[in-house]
Amino acid sequence: MGRLDEKIVIVTGAASGIGAATARRVAAEGAHTVVADLDPDGAKAVTEEIRAAGGSAMTVAVDLGDIDSVRAMVAAAVETYGGLDVLHNNAAATRLAARQDLAVTEADPAVWDDTMRINLRGTMVAIQAAVPHLIARGGGSIINTSSGAGLAGDLRNPAYGASKAALINLTQYVATQYGKQGVRCNAVAPGFIVTPASSGSAHAGIRDAMLRHHLTPRLGRPEDVAAAVVFLASDESAFITGHTLRVDGGLLAHQPYVADLRDA
C-alpha cells in the first residue's frame, strides 16, 4: 500500500529538478500524477518514466503566467482522473531569477511584475481553481514551494525572494480560509538543492560555502524535498496546516558565526 494510493495529484514544474523528483515519488506512492510544466517534452519524459515503472501519470503543458492555462491544467486533471486530492505548486520563474533579478536599486519593474505574475499570481490561480475540487472530494492538501530566499535576505534575486515570502503568507491565508472544509495548505522552503543547474563548475565556490554553513554532512537533493511533499500530501500530516517546513539541512537554524567556529 502506498501512502497516496489512488490520490489525484498535480505537480507543477515537474519536468526537472524538485518537481520531477516529486512527480516520481508521488507516483511511486500510488498517486495518479499530473506532470505539469512549461516544457512539455521534459514533462512527457518524466511521465513516460513513471509509466515504465508501473505508475499512473499524464502530461499537461502549463504556463503559470497565463490564467487560462493554469485553469485548463486543473480542468484536465479532473476530466482525466475524476477529481483532485493534492496540488503541489512547485513551478517558479527561475530563469528570471538567474539572469534578470537585479539588486533593488537596479531592478527592472517589469522583471518584478513577471516574477510576481508567475510565482505568486500563478500559484493563487491554481489554488483558486483547485479548491472547489478538493472540497468536493471531502478535502485535500495544497503544498506550495517557497524557498529559503523567502525567509532571509541575500545579495541577489530580491524579486524572487519577495515572491517566495509572499507564498508563505498566502499559504497561511488558504489554510485559514478553507481548513474547516477539509483543505490543508502548507509550504516547503528548500535551501540549497543540488540540481543539474547548480552542479556545474561555475557554482563550485557557492556549493563549498553553502556546505560549510549546513548542519548536515551533505547538501540537499531534489529527493529530500520530494519526501517532505509526500508527507504533507499524505494523511500522516492530517493535523498540520498553515505551516512552512524548511528543507534546508539546518542552514537557517544557527548563528552565522557557527561555520567559522566549527572550522577553527
Side-chain angles (χ1 to χ4, degrees):
M1 292 284 291
R3 296 156 78 188
L4 299 175
D5 273 349
E6 300 304 315
K7 299 284 190 184
I8 300 156
V9 180
I10 294 174
V11 181
T12 68
S16 62
I18 291 170
T22 302
R24 295 186 193 103
R25 180 65 188 273
V26 299
E29 294 286 352
H32 301 292
T33 308
V34 179
V35 183
D37 202 282
L38 184 63
D39 172 12
D41 292 335
K44 184 177 179 181
V46 174
T47 297
E48 291 173 349
E49 182 181 345
I50 289 170
R51 289 175 177 171
S56 171
M58 65 177 287
T59 300
V60 174
V62 63
D63 178 355
L64 285 190
D66 184 323
I67 292 173
D68 290 338
S69 178
V70 176
R71 290 172 175 165
M73 171 190 70
V74 174
V78 172
E79 180 179 356
T80 300
Y81 292 124
L84 184 64
D85 299 293
V86 178
L87 171 65
H88 177 35
N89 290 305
N90 173 70
T94 52
R95 289 183 179 86
L96 287 175
R99 300 174 185 174
Q100 298 172 270
D101 192 356
L102 304 178
V104 172
T105 55
E106 304 166 27
D108 181 349
V111 172
W112 273 71
D113 288 346
D114 284 343
T115 301
M116 298 302 170
R117 178 172 55 87
I118 295 168
N119 293 2
L120 188 56
R121 191 190 74 180
T123 295
M124 182 278 293
V125 172
I127 292 171
Q128 187 181 64
V131 163
H133 298 291
L134 299 179
I135 293 172
R137 300 268 287 185
S141 178
I142 299 168
I143 304 106
N144 299 321
T145 297
S146 180
S147 171
L151 294 165
D154 202 340
L155 298 176
R156 57 181 187 165
N157 301 337
Y160 179 84
S163 72
K164 292 298 188 176
L167 279 181
I168 292 172
N169 191 247
L170 178 63
T171 294
Q172 294 171 321
Y173 267 80
V174 173
T176 300
Q177 292 174 355
Y178 303 103
K180 292 296 187 183
Q181 294 166 280
V183 176
R184 296 184 297 113
C185 188
N186 294 287
V188 290
F192 189 86
I193 304 297
V194 178
T195 65
S198 65
S199 60
S201 58
H203 294 273
I206 295 174
R207 291 201 311 274
D208 291 344
M210 283 290 188
L211 184 57
R212 288 181 59 241
H213 286 273
H214 277 61
L215 302 181
T216 50
R218 65 168 174 84
L219 295 172
R221 301 166 183 149
E223 292 76 14
D224 295 318
V225 184
V229 172
V230 167
F231 169 67
L232 293 173
S234 75
D235 292 338
E236 294 173 6
S237 61
F239 201 56
I240 300 173
T241 193
H243 178 70
T244 297
L245 176 60
R246 295 201 315 262
V247 187
D248 68 353
L251 182 64
L252 299 182
H254 58 83
Q255 299 292 346
Y257 53 75
V258 168
D260 296 326
L261 292 179
R262 185 171 52 202
D263 295 340

